[in-house]
Amino acid sequence: MANGILIIDKPAGWTSHDVVAKLRGLLRERRIGHAGTLDPMATGVLPVFVGRATRAVEFAAEREKEYLAGLRLGVVTDTQDTTGTVLETHPVCADRPQVEAVLARFRGEITQIPPMYSAIKREGKKLYELARRGQEVERQPRPITIEALDLLDQVSPTEYTLRVRCSKGTYVRTLCHDIGQALGCGGALFSLRRTQSAGFFLDQAVTMDQVSAHPAPQQLLLPVDRYFSRYPALTLRHGTAEKKLRNGNRLTLEGQDGVYRVYSRGGDFLALSRLEQGVLTTIKSFFEV
């Protein structure tokens, strides 16, 4: 039975759901989920959680992400990227120093109005479903954090490559749209590559072709405890303690307060747990029932 994490370098033209559907067949496992949806035009890091590891998806979704984004100035589209319908075009007078200067406005804690072409729901309907019907509804600004925003390269008189490190809930295409608005000429995203997500990087990723061609694709899976490697390990020394944990009971243990990766005497990853004032409580279990 397949259990673990697979870091996919998502190809352009695929939805995140397409990746999951294909992997269900290749890995022969129905329990598959992903952390951090990528639009079809985007490529890069898509962490996929398989089998019992799907219990870690809720933790992975919270971590910051990093992207290489292509910003095209002088154009405004309905989707805020170049896959959409062009609504406006404008001459571009801003040069590279002016673009670099305006980026400072978008670093740190800011608010962002989610785009209509998004999966956010309003009265049970996804916004993109309303947008496809020509409807637009008011969206409330949401707080996000832009940890880093750097201009890496100017690839044409109107196109730039940006590096964006940001919090959960950030729409990079909206960021490009807003930068264009601040410059007075409009802007849209023309390319997007995610280089980091959930603590995983591109050099850990495999392509869908590599997974398809592998004689035993289950061997490509990373163990789920790899995701929690930032927490110290704690090994239960007695079988009675492991039995209590498996039964959902709290344990009395000595040690420093904090969150731990908990293992059996045989080295099996059992749970992510919190030790507080000598009491160990399970946050999420990962053993097979």
Side-chain angles (χ1 to χ4, degrees), residues 138-233:
E138 184 179 358
R139 288 96 66 203
Q140 294 300 315
R142 303 198 305 179
I144 61 168
T145 302
I146 306 296
E147 297 286 350
L149 178 58
D150 304 307
L151 197 163
L152 298 184
D153 191 21
Q154 182 173 3
V155 295
S156 81
T158 60
E159 294 179 335
Y160 297 85
T161 302
L162 307 177
R163 181 176 70 93
V164 184
R165 191 168 73 249
C166 55
S167 66
K168 171 189 175 183
T170 300
Y171 288 91
V172 180
R173 51 196 163 97
T174 299
L175 179 64
C176 289
H177 170 87
D178 292 348
I179 290 170
Q181 294 298 106
L183 289 166
C185 58
L189 179 78
F190 74 83
S191 68
L192 187 66
R193 184 155 177 76
R194 188 155 66 191
T195 55
Q196 177 186 348
S197 180
F200 298 106
F201 299 84
L202 267 177
D203 60 5
Q204 298 170 283
V206 293
T207 66
M208 291 301 295
D209 286 343
Q210 288 174 312
V211 180
S212 297
H214 200 286
Q218 294 85 352
Q219 295 177 1
L220 298 172
L221 294 173
L222 301 173
V224 66
D225 57 332
R226 179 79 64 86
Y227 175 72
F228 300 108
S229 60
R230 62 192 182 278
Y231 299 115

XYZ file of all heavy atoms in Angstrom, residues 138-233:
753
model
N -18.836 41.702 -5.237
C -17.877 42.386 -4.371
C -17.083 41.363 -3.565
O -17.647 40.390 -3.048
C -18.616 43.329 -3.428
C -17.691 44.159 -2.546
C -18.446 45.107 -1.635
O -19.688 45.147 -1.728
O -17.802 45.794 -0.833
N -15.768 41.552 -3.489
C -14.906 40.690 -2.683
C -14.217 41.535 -1.633
O -13.762 42.652 -1.928
C -13.822 40.007 -3.535
C -14.348 38.913 -4.444
C -14.625 39.410 -5.842
N -13.403 39.813 -6.531
C -13.369 40.658 -7.547
N -14.495 41.225 -7.985
N -12.222 40.959 -8.132
N -14.143 41.003 -0.426
C -13.506 41.724 0.656
C -11.988 41.550 0.588
O -11.497 40.460 0.298
C -14.012 41.217 2.005
C -15.482 41.506 2.258
C -15.767 42.992 2.243
O -15.041 43.797 2.837
N -16.841 43.376 1.565
N -11.227 42.616 0.849
C -9.761 42.481 0.900
C -9.355 41.479 1.974
O -9.990 41.388 3.035
C -9.284 43.899 1.260
C -10.428 44.790 0.905
C -11.668 43.992 1.129
N -8.300 40.710 1.680
C -7.814 39.717 2.636
C -6.361 40.016 2.976
O -5.564 40.403 2.097
C -7.924 38.306 2.050
C -9.333 37.938 1.613
C -9.510 36.444 1.443
N -8.539 35.863 0.520
C -8.492 34.569 0.225
N -9.343 33.731 0.768
N -7.591 34.102 -0.628
N -5.974 39.820 4.236
C -4.575 40.065 4.610
C -3.665 38.946 4.112
O -3.994 37.763 4.234
C -4.624 40.100 6.142
C -5.808 39.251 6.503
C -6.811 39.452 5.392
N -2.552 39.321 3.533
C -1.520 38.371 3.123
C -0.161 38.953 3.508
O -0.066 40.125 3.903
C -1.548 38.093 1.599
C -1.296 39.397 0.822
C -2.855 37.429 1.185
C -1.029 39.186 -0.654
N 0.872 38.145 3.396
C 2.223 38.618 3.685
C 3.135 38.289 2.510
O 3.207 37.140 2.065
C 2.788 37.961 4.958
O 1.907 38.239 6.053
C 4.175 38.507 5.278
N 3.802 39.310 1.995
C 4.818 39.125 0.957
C 6.176 39.193 1.651
O 6.668 40.268 1.988
C 4.716 40.196 -0.147
C 3.297 40.239 -0.735
C 5.752 39.928 -1.241
C 2.874 38.984 -1.447
N 6.765 38.038 1.897
C 8.037 37.966 2.624
C 9.197 38.513 1.793
O 10.129 39.128 2.326
C 8.325 36.518 3.036
C 7.314 35.918 3.995
C 7.449 36.459 5.395
O 8.444 37.165 5.671
O 6.559 36.174 6.221
N 9.151 38.266 0.476
C 10.205 38.755 -0.418
C 9.598 39.030 -1.784
O 8.741 38.286 -2.254
C 11.338 37.740 -0.541
N 10.032 40.122 -2.398
C 9.581 40.493 -3.740
C 10.743 41.188 -4.421
O 11.072 42.332 -4.103
C 8.357 41.406 -3.654
C 7.781 41.917 -4.979
C 7.376 40.768 -5.882
C 6.592 42.838 -4.716
N 11.384 40.479 -5.359
C 12.603 40.974 -5.995
C 12.473 40.940 -7.505
O 11.890 40.003 -8.068
C 13.809 40.119 -5.574
C 13.976 40.066 -4.069
O 14.025 41.123 -3.442
O 14.038 38.943 -3.521
N 13.021 41.944 -8.157
C 13.089 41.958 -9.613
C 14.378 41.243 -10.022
O 15.468 41.722 -9.737
C 13.054 43.399 -10.139
C 12.706 43.587 -11.616
C 12.298 45.030 -11.887
C 13.867 43.211 -12.522
N 14.237 40.105 -10.689
C 15.402 39.313 -11.065
C 15.949 39.663 -12.437
O 17.149 39.655 -12.662
C 15.060 37.818 -11.034
C 14.633 37.219 -9.697
C 14.427 35.714 -9.855
C 15.653 37.518 -8.606
N 15.026 39.966 -13.377
C 15.486 40.149 -14.748
C 14.453 40.937 -15.542
O 13.251 40.878 -15.259
C 15.701 38.773 -15.405
C 16.429 38.855 -16.730
O 17.120 39.879 -16.968
O 16.323 37.914 -17.528
N 14.930 41.700 -16.524
C 14.052 42.333 -17.503
C 14.234 41.582 -18.805
O 15.309 41.583 -19.405
C 14.393 43.816 -17.687
C 13.452 44.512 -18.668
C 13.666 46.018 -18.741
O 14.566 46.554 -18.089
N 12.847 46.708 -19.521
N 13.169 40.903 -19.260
C 13.294 40.026 -20.425
C 12.852 40.704 -21.721
O 13.098 40.177 -22.811
C 12.499 38.720 -20.206
C 13.108 37.930 -19.058
C 11.025 38.997 -19.909
N 12.194 41.861 -21.621
C 11.818 42.654 -22.789
C 11.503 44.054 -22.276
O 11.477 44.274 -21.061
C 10.603 42.039 -23.504
O 9.406 42.400 -22.855
N 11.255 45.019 -23.156
C 10.937 46.369 -22.663
C 9.740 46.429 -21.719
O 9.635 47.341 -20.907
C 10.662 47.153 -23.955
C 11.486 46.455 -24.986
C 11.407 45.004 -24.635
N 8.831 45.445 -21.806
C 7.622 45.478 -20.973
C 7.460 44.245 -20.091
O 6.419 44.087 -19.437
C 6.366 45.610 -21.854
O 6.295 44.473 -22.740
C 6.403 46.893 -22.663
N 8.466 43.372 -20.042
C 8.318 42.117 -19.302
C 9.450 41.932 -18.304
O 10.631 42.166 -18.624
C 8.273 40.923 -20.258
C 7.045 40.924 -21.154
C 7.013 39.762 -22.113
O 8.090 39.221 -22.454
O 5.903 39.386 -22.552
N 9.083 41.461 -17.113
C 10.037 41.300 -16.025
C 9.820 39.954 -15.324
O 8.695 39.436 -15.291
C 9.861 42.416 -14.981
C 10.141 43.803 -15.523
C 9.149 44.521 -16.187
C 11.397 44.388 -15.379
C 9.396 45.786 -16.690
C 11.655 45.657 -15.877
C 10.653 46.353 -16.529
O 10.916 47.608 -17.033
N 10.904 39.420 -14.762
C 10.819 38.222 -13.925
C 10.964 38.631 -12.471
O 11.940 39.293 -12.097
C 11.910 37.208 -14.291
O 11.786 36.847 -15.670
C 11.785 35.956 -13.424
N 9.986 38.231 -11.658
C 9.985 38.559 -10.240
C 10.142 37.286 -9.417
O 9.652 36.215 -9.797
C 8.666 39.233 -9.840
C 8.215 40.447 -10.643
C 6.856 40.920 -10.143
C 9.237 41.579 -10.570
N 10.801 37.409 -8.286
C 10.816 36.334 -7.295
C 9.883 36.748 -6.166
O 10.036 37.825 -5.594
C 12.221 36.085 -6.749
C 12.279 34.944 -5.706
C 13.715 34.674 -5.285
N 14.251 35.765 -4.483
C 14.217 35.801 -3.144
N 13.667 34.802 -2.465
N 14.736 36.818 -2.477
N 8.921 35.878 -5.859
C 7.906 36.186 -4.849
C 7.900 35.082 -3.794
O 7.701 33.908 -4.122
C 6.494 36.281 -5.472
C 5.477 36.695 -4.421
C 6.486 37.226 -6.666
N 8.125 35.441 -2.550
C 7.937 34.502 -1.436
C 6.801 35.027 -0.593
O 6.840 36.172 -0.132
C 9.217 34.350 -0.607
C 9.141 33.181 0.384
C 10.475 32.830 1.003
N 10.896 33.812 1.981
C 11.919 34.640 1.842
N 12.632 34.627 0.730
N 12.227 35.492 2.799
N 5.768 34.225 -0.402
C 4.524 34.766 0.136
C 3.798 33.760 1.017
O 4.105 32.563 1.035
C 3.617 35.195 -1.015
S 3.297 33.885 -2.216
N 2.801 34.267 1.720
C 1.995 33.450 2.623
C 0.913 32.710 1.861
O 0.632 32.969 0.689
C 1.356 34.346 3.685
O 0.419 35.241 3.074
N 0.285 31.784 2.583
C -0.902 31.108 2.079
C -1.947 32.146 1.676
O -2.097 33.183 2.310
C -1.463 30.212 3.181
C -2.823 29.608 2.880
C -3.394 28.936 4.098
C -4.817 28.440 3.830
N -5.434 27.829 5.027
N -2.681 31.860 0.589
C -3.771 32.731 0.176
C -3.383 33.849 -0.759
O -4.245 34.629 -1.171
N -2.087 33.933 -1.118
C -1.636 34.985 -2.028
C -1.924 34.588 -3.479
O -1.620 33.467 -3.899
C -0.131 35.238 -1.868
O 0.141 35.632 -0.522
C 0.349 36.324 -2.818
N -2.502 35.502 -4.237
C -2.678 35.309 -5.675
C -1.591 36.105 -6.388
O -1.614 37.343 -6.375
C -4.066 35.773 -6.130
C -5.182 34.858 -5.688
C -5.845 35.074 -4.491
C -5.555 33.758 -6.463
C -6.860 34.229 -4.072
C -6.570 32.908 -6.059
C -7.220 33.150 -4.855
O -8.226 32.308 -4.451
N -0.652 35.391 -7.008
C 0.461 36.072 -7.661
C -0.019 36.834 -8.882
O 0.491 37.910 -9.191
C 1.573 35.062 -8.033
C 2.741 35.766 -8.727
C 2.081 34.347 -6.778
N -1.030 36.340 -9.558
C -1.551 37.092 -10.715
C -2.213 38.394 -10.271
O -2.127 39.410 -10.972
C -2.493 36.239 -11.551
C -3.591 35.552 -10.832
C -4.182 34.433 -11.720
N -4.954 33.488 -10.959
C -6.276 33.534 -10.834
N -6.962 34.493 -11.439
N -6.918 32.622 -10.136
N -2.843 38.380 -9.096
C -3.399 39.621 -8.560
C -2.282 40.582 -8.173
O -2.400 41.804 -8.376
C -4.293 39.325 -7.342
O -5.372 38.470 -7.762
C -4.868 40.595 -6.745
N -1.189 40.038 -7.643
C -0.032 40.872 -7.321
C 0.487 41.562 -8.583
O 0.773 42.773 -8.574
C 1.061 40.015 -6.688
C 2.361 40.718 -6.304
C 2.129 41.763 -5.217
C 3.396 39.694 -5.835
N 0.590 40.819 -9.690
C 1.047 41.418 -10.947
C 0.063 42.474 -11.442
O 0.472 43.546 -11.915
C 1.239 40.326 -12.004
S 2.664 39.258 -11.712
N -1.219 42.177 -11.330
C -2.247 43.151 -11.719
C -2.108 44.433 -10.894
O -2.140 45.545 -11.448
C -3.630 42.535 -11.506
C -4.766 43.497 -11.641
N -5.357 43.793 -12.848
C -5.422 44.248 -10.702
C -6.322 44.680 -12.660
N -6.381 44.971 -11.373
N -1.919 44.275 -9.594
C -1.845 45.443 -8.711
C -0.573 46.254 -8.943
O -0.586 47.491 -8.847
C -1.933 44.995 -7.256
C -3.314 44.442 -6.897
O -4.252 44.621 -7.703
O -3.437 43.810 -5.827
N 0.527 45.582 -9.255
C 1.774 46.295 -9.577
C 1.568 47.134 -10.843
O 1.977 48.297 -10.924
C 2.944 45.304 -9.747
C 3.318 44.682 -8.396
C 4.162 46.000 -10.360
C 4.293 43.523 -8.494
N 0.897 46.535 -11.834
C 0.605 47.271 -13.064
C -0.276 48.484 -12.817
O -0.066 49.555 -13.407
N -1.251 48.326 -11.918
C -2.115 49.456 -11.577
C -1.315 50.558 -10.895
O -1.519 51.756 -11.164
C -3.251 48.989 -10.668
C -4.243 48.031 -11.325
C -4.968 48.653 -12.500
O -4.693 48.332 -13.654
N -5.880 49.561 -12.212
N -0.404 50.170 -10.004
C 0.413 51.158 -9.295
C 1.323 51.920 -10.253
O 1.643 53.091 -10.019
C 1.245 50.465 -8.215
N 1.713 51.281 -11.354
C 2.575 51.930 -12.343
C 1.768 52.738 -13.365
O 2.336 53.465 -14.187
C 3.422 50.885 -13.070
C 4.542 50.245 -12.230
C 5.091 48.999 -12.928
C 5.667 51.249 -11.985
N 0.453 52.590 -13.336
C -0.416 53.369 -14.210
C -0.573 52.825 -15.611
O -1.173 53.504 -16.465
N -0.078 51.601 -15.858
C -0.160 51.058 -17.219
C -0.828 49.690 -17.267
O -1.005 49.122 -18.350
C 1.233 50.969 -17.839
S 2.385 49.954 -16.899
N -1.180 49.152 -16.122
C -1.758 47.817 -16.092
C -0.689 46.747 -16.154
O 0.452 46.993 -16.565
N -1.059 45.551 -15.714
C -0.110 44.442 -15.743
C -0.837 43.120 -15.619
O -1.959 43.042 -15.111
N -0.186 42.070 -16.108
C -0.750 40.726 -16.039
C 0.381 39.712 -15.902
O 1.521 39.965 -16.306
C -1.583 40.419 -17.278
N 0.047 38.580 -15.335
C 0.997 37.480 -15.193
C 1.094 36.727 -16.518
O 0.072 36.325 -17.069
C 0.494 36.541 -14.086
C 1.325 35.298 -13.780
C 2.538 35.660 -12.936
C 0.470 34.261 -13.038
N 2.322 36.513 -17.033
C 2.439 35.733 -18.271
C 3.125 34.394 -18.066
O 3.081 33.525 -18.944
C 3.138 36.534 -19.381
C 4.627 36.701 -19.220
C 5.516 35.713 -19.634
C 5.148 37.872 -18.675
C 6.889 35.890 -19.502
C 6.509 38.049 -18.538
C 7.389 37.053 -18.956
N 3.736 34.168 -16.901
C 4.313 32.854 -16.591
C 4.426 32.727 -15.084
O 4.565 33.731 -14.373
C 5.689 32.679 -17.250
O 6.636 33.560 -16.657
N 4.369 31.482 -14.606
C 4.480 31.251 -13.163
C 5.100 29.884 -12.924
O 4.624 28.875 -13.456
C 3.105 31.318 -12.495
C 3.119 31.247 -10.960
C 3.792 32.490 -10.373
C 1.699 31.118 -10.414
N 6.158 29.875 -12.127
C 6.815 28.623 -11.748
C 7.017 28.625 -10.243
O 7.683 29.523 -9.702
C 8.158 28.464 -12.463
C 8.851 27.121 -12.180
C 9.792 26.771 -13.304
N 10.543 25.550 -13.100
C 10.062 24.316 -13.219
N 8.778 24.136 -13.500
N 10.825 23.247 -13.056
N 6.416 27.643 -9.563
C 6.577 27.568 -8.106
C 7.855 26.805 -7.791
O 8.040 25.673 -8.238
C 5.374 26.891 -7.457
C 5.413 26.981 -5.935
C 4.037 26.880 -5.317
N 3.426 25.575 -5.502
C 2.143 25.304 -5.245
N 1.348 26.259 -4.811
N 1.657 24.100 -5.432
N 8.722 27.447 -7.028
C 10.025 26.865 -6.705
C 10.082 26.285 -5.300
O 11.017 25.550 -4.982
C 11.132 27.926 -6.851
O 10.803 29.066 -6.027
C 11.249 28.387 -8.301
N 9.093 26.610 -4.470
C 9.051 26.090 -3.101
C 7.611 26.036 -2.617
O 6.834 26.959 -2.850
C 9.868 26.975 -2.147
C 9.815 26.538 -0.692
C 10.508 27.527 0.237
O 11.213 28.414 -0.215
N 10.307 27.385 1.521
N 7.270 24.952 -1.933
C 5.947 24.831 -1.318
C 5.999 23.788 -0.217
O 6.587 22.710 -0.399
C 4.904 24.416 -2.365
O 3.622 24.301 -1.785
N 5.429 24.111 0.926
C 5.354 23.187 2.067
C 6.726 22.722 2.528
O 6.862 21.621 3.061
C 4.464 21.982 1.718
N 7.748 23.546 2.306
C 9.089 23.181 2.735
C 9.837 22.308 1.746
O 10.956 21.864 2.022
N 9.257 22.058 0.568
C 9.903 21.256 -0.467
C 10.322 22.150 -1.633
O 9.696 23.179 -1.903
C 8.963 20.158 -0.967
C 8.563 19.174 0.103
C 7.285 19.202 0.649
C 9.464 18.231 0.560
C 6.919 18.309 1.639
C 9.105 17.322 1.551
C 7.837 17.361 2.095
N 11.376 21.723 -2.353
C 11.988 22.546 -3.388
C 12.025 21.800 -4.727
O 11.843 20.577 -4.788
C 13.403 22.948 -2.977
C 13.463 23.766 -1.717
C 13.456 23.158 -0.471
C 13.490 25.150 -1.772
C 13.500 23.911 0.697
C 13.529 25.914 -0.618
C 13.530 25.291 0.624
N 12.301 22.562 -5.787
C 12.315 21.993 -7.133
C 13.298 20.842 -7.296
O 13.038 19.893 -8.036
C 12.645 23.085 -8.164
C 11.463 23.815 -8.806
C 11.965 24.904 -9.726
C 10.564 22.838 -9.565
N 14.450 20.925 -6.602
C 15.443 19.858 -6.774
C 14.988 18.533 -6.164
O 15.629 17.496 -6.364
C 16.805 20.273 -6.217
C 16.779 20.593 -4.732
O 15.734 20.411 -4.087
O 17.822 21.027 -4.209
N 13.871 18.547 -5.430
C 13.294 17.312 -4.889
C 12.162 16.777 -5.758
O 11.631 15.697 -5.481
C 12.757 17.570 -3.473
C 13.814 17.986 -2.457
C 13.188 18.450 -1.152
O 12.679 19.562 -1.061
N 13.218 17.604 -0.152
N 11.799 17.529 -6.798
C 10.613 17.195 -7.584
C 10.935 16.249 -8.732
O 12.054 16.215 -9.257
C 9.983 18.478 -8.128
N 9.924 15.483 -9.114
C 10.010 14.608 -10.283
C 8.896 15.002 -11.247
O 7.863 15.546 -10.834
C 9.880 13.117 -9.900
C 11.069 12.672 -9.077
C 8.584 12.842 -9.145
N 9.102 14.722 -12.509
C 8.085 15.034 -13.509
C 7.069 13.896 -13.603
O 7.328 12.763 -13.163
C 8.717 15.241 -14.887
O 9.282 13.994 -15.337
C 9.824 16.304 -14.838
N 5.928 14.191 -14.201
C 4.934 13.150 -14.411
C 5.460 12.076 -15.348
O 5.134 10.893 -15.188
C 3.642 13.765 -14.962
C 2.883 14.629 -13.962
S 2.385 13.734 -12.474
C 1.228 12.545 -13.160
N 6.284 12.457 -16.316
C 6.888 11.467 -17.214
C 7.786 10.515 -16.448
O 7.804 9.304 -16.724
C 7.688 12.165 -18.317
C 6.798 12.816 -19.362
O 5.599 12.466 -19.423
O 7.300 13.676 -20.115
N 8.540 11.033 -15.484
C 9.412 10.175 -14.681
C 8.604 9.194 -13.836
O 8.976 8.026 -13.703
C 10.311 11.029 -13.781
C 11.410 11.762 -14.527
C 12.189 12.704 -13.621
O 11.605 13.486 -12.865
N 13.508 12.641 -13.696
N 7.506 9.675 -13.284
C 6.653 8.777 -12.492
C 6.052 7.702 -13.391
O 6.040 6.511 -13.039
C 5.539 9.565 -11.778
C 4.656 8.619 -10.960
C 6.132 10.632 -10.868
N 5.562 8.105 -14.562
C 4.930 7.155 -15.481
C 5.912 6.090 -15.959
O 5.537 4.930 -16.150
C 4.349 7.896 -16.688
O 3.334 8.790 -16.290
N 7.174 6.493 -16.152
C 8.170 5.567 -16.696
C 8.800 4.683 -15.629
O 9.455 3.684 -15.966
C 9.268 6.363 -17.410
N 8.621 5.002 -14.365
C 9.290 4.253 -13.296
C 8.643 2.876 -13.124
O 7.422 2.762 -13.061
C 9.203 5.029 -11.982
C 10.224 4.625 -10.969
N 10.152 3.439 -10.268
C 11.372 5.230 -10.551
C 11.182 3.339 -9.451
N 11.943 4.411 -9.609
N 9.447 1.809 -13.037
C 8.868 0.462 -12.896
C 8.140 0.255 -11.574
O 7.254 -0.595 -11.481
C 10.094 -0.455 -13.006
C 11.266 0.411 -12.645
C 10.914 1.781 -13.123
N 8.522 1.011 -10.544
C 7.868 0.907 -9.230
C 7.735 2.312 -8.659
O 8.518 2.727 -7.806
C 8.665 0.006 -8.295
N 6.762 3.080 -9.134
C 6.672 4.502 -8.748
C 6.505 4.721 -7.248
O 6.817 5.799 -6.747
C 5.456 5.010 -9.526
C 4.684 3.789 -9.903
C 5.690 2.707 -10.081
N 6.043 3.707 -6.511
C 5.933 3.847 -5.054
C 7.292 4.139 -4.411
O 7.367 4.747 -3.340
C 5.336 2.577 -4.432
C 3.889 2.300 -4.804
C 3.744 1.548 -6.122
O 4.722 1.350 -6.850
N 2.528 1.125 -6.434
N 8.356 3.721 -5.081
C 9.701 3.946 -4.553
C 10.103 5.423 -4.582
O 11.078 5.810 -3.938
C 10.720 3.110 -5.331
C 10.542 1.606 -5.167
C 11.520 0.805 -6.003
O 12.368 1.367 -6.702
N 11.398 -0.514 -5.963
N 9.376 6.241 -5.329
C 9.675 7.671 -5.406
C 9.108 8.448 -4.222
O 9.444 9.614 -4.030
C 9.112 8.253 -6.704
C 9.686 7.685 -8.006
C 8.897 8.210 -9.205
C 11.160 8.026 -8.146
N 8.265 7.804 -3.424
C 7.606 8.492 -2.316
C 8.588 8.782 -1.180
O 9.401 7.935 -0.800
C 6.460 7.638 -1.774
C 5.280 7.400 -2.713
C 4.312 6.400 -2.103
C 4.561 8.702 -3.014
N 8.497 9.983 -0.649
C 9.230 10.343 0.564
C 8.394 9.955 1.779
O 7.172 10.062 1.752
C 9.491 11.851 0.597
C 10.286 12.459 -0.560
C 10.293 13.982 -0.443
C 11.698 11.921 -0.576
N 9.019 9.512 2.864
C 8.245 9.202 4.069
C 7.580 10.451 4.618
O 8.141 11.545 4.561
C 9.293 8.642 5.041
C 10.603 9.167 4.534
C 10.469 9.289 3.050
N 6.383 10.290 5.169
C 5.610 11.451 5.617
C 6.305 12.197 6.748
O 6.158 13.416 6.878
C 4.190 11.023 6.040
C 4.212 10.129 7.256
C 3.314 12.247 6.279
N 7.106 11.506 7.562
C 7.768 12.212 8.665
C 8.822 13.188 8.162
O 9.259 14.073 8.896
C 8.373 11.242 9.677
C 9.356 10.266 9.073
O 9.220 9.941 7.887
O 10.252 9.808 9.799
N 9.225 13.065 6.883
C 10.169 14.024 6.301
C 9.584 15.439 6.353
O 10.312 16.414 6.554
C 10.474 13.641 4.853
C 11.430 14.566 4.117
C 12.870 14.304 4.474
N 13.275 12.988 4.051
C 13.739 12.681 2.831
N 13.841 13.629 1.920
N 14.086 11.450 2.531
N 8.266 15.546 6.196
C 7.643 16.861 6.235
C 7.776 17.514 7.602
O 7.855 18.737 7.715
C 6.158 16.768 5.853
C 5.470 18.086 6.006
C 5.722 19.129 5.120
C 4.627 18.332 7.077
C 5.136 20.365 5.286
C 4.033 19.564 7.256
C 4.296 20.581 6.360
O 3.724 21.808 6.534
N 7.821 16.705 8.645
C 7.875 17.231 10.019
C 9.291 17.240 10.585
O 9.472 17.280 11.802
C 6.961 16.399 10.927
C 5.519 16.407 10.510
C 4.935 15.285 9.957
C 4.748 17.547 10.664
C 3.602 15.289 9.567
C 3.417 17.574 10.269
C 2.845 16.438 9.723
N 10.281 17.214 9.716
C 11.678 17.099 10.172
C 12.135 18.289 11.005
O 13.145 18.197 11.716
C 12.612 16.916 8.976
O 12.522 18.020 8.086
N 11.413 19.403 10.953
C 11.800 20.562 11.761
C 11.509 20.351 13.243
O 11.974 21.136 14.084
C 11.088 21.826 11.263
C 9.573 21.797 11.365
C 8.981 22.952 10.596
N 7.530 23.040 10.666
C 6.704 22.329 9.915
N 7.198 21.443 9.041
N 5.395 22.476 10.009
N 10.757 19.305 13.566
C 10.458 19.002 14.963
C 11.379 17.883 15.464
O 11.719 16.965 14.696
C 8.994 18.555 15.115
C 7.995 19.591 14.695
C 7.158 19.381 13.603
C 7.880 20.795 15.379
C 6.230 20.332 13.210
C 6.959 21.765 14.992
C 6.141 21.520 13.902
O 5.229 22.472 13.513
N 11.773 17.900 16.729
C 12.646 16.841 17.251
C 11.912 15.505 17.332
O 10.678 15.462 17.410
C 13.016 17.350 18.647
C 11.928 18.301 19.028
C 11.477 18.941 17.746
N 12.695 14.422 17.308
C 12.132 13.074 17.374
C 12.049 12.607 18.822
O 12.897 12.938 19.660
C 12.991 12.110 16.569
